[in-house]
Amino acid sequence: MKIWIGCDHAGYDRKLEVIQLLQERNLAYEDCGCDGSRADYPVIAQKVSEGVAAHPGDLGILICGTGIGMSIAANKIYGIRAALCADAFSAKYTRLHNDANVMCMGARTLGSGLALELVEIFLDTPFEGGRHAARVDMISELEKKD
Ligand code: RB5
């Protein structure tokens, strides 16, 4: 499993902290930018999301100022279920119930400690399946109506 990670300029410092966490956990990751200079969040969201969509089982992490732009953009990519998370319960249940494959966070809305905790929860929580699988399948059906 690989973690696809990206940010815009607003999320750059937080992304470096998350990457440090991934390295400490010996997790494979792919940094899709930015390098700290001004970047348009839809471009980065597309890179991360296309990586995740092409590799089922991989997960993505996107960070911008609020996390909102990243989540809106990521959810336009076929196969992506991106969740904007700002609390531990949501980070846990979006994996358990939604099988979210991308988590978005706001660097300007979350402190470092909470953001890293959300990353750990998101990465460590499996999809529950069962009755939730049918609902996730219904989301996939919605995508086909585009
Ligand atoms: C950049 O200033 C900011 O708009 C962006 O990081 C993000 O918050 C958009 O949703």
Side-chain angles (χ1 to χ4, degrees), residues 8-11 38-39 41 63-70 108:
D8 69 356
H9 48 284
R38 197 151 288 277
Y41 60 82
I63 307 168
C64 63
T66 60
I68 296 171
M70 286 292 196
R108 293 172 176 159

Side-chain angles (χ1 to χ4, degrees), residues 1-8 11 14-15 17-19 21-22 27-33 44-45 47-49 52 58-64 70-71 74 80 82-83 101-106 115-116 118-123:
M1 198 245 300
K2 186 157 79 174
I3 313 303
W4 299 75
I5 185 164
C7 66
D8 69 356
R14 188 72 75 245
K15 181 182 74 172
E17 295 173 349
V18 174
I19 286 176
L21 174 68
L22 299 178
L27 291 168
Y29 67 90
E30 177 120 353
D31 184 355
C32 297
I44 306 295
K47 286 182 183 166
V48 165
S49 299
V52 171
D58 285 4
L59 294 173
I61 296 171
L62 285 165
I63 307 168
C64 63
M70 286 292 196
S71 59
I80 292 302
N101 50 14
V102 173
M103 181 170 71
C104 305
M105 298 187 294
L116 295 178
L118 299 188
V119 169
E120 300 233 49
I121 293 168
F122 184 75
L123 298 182

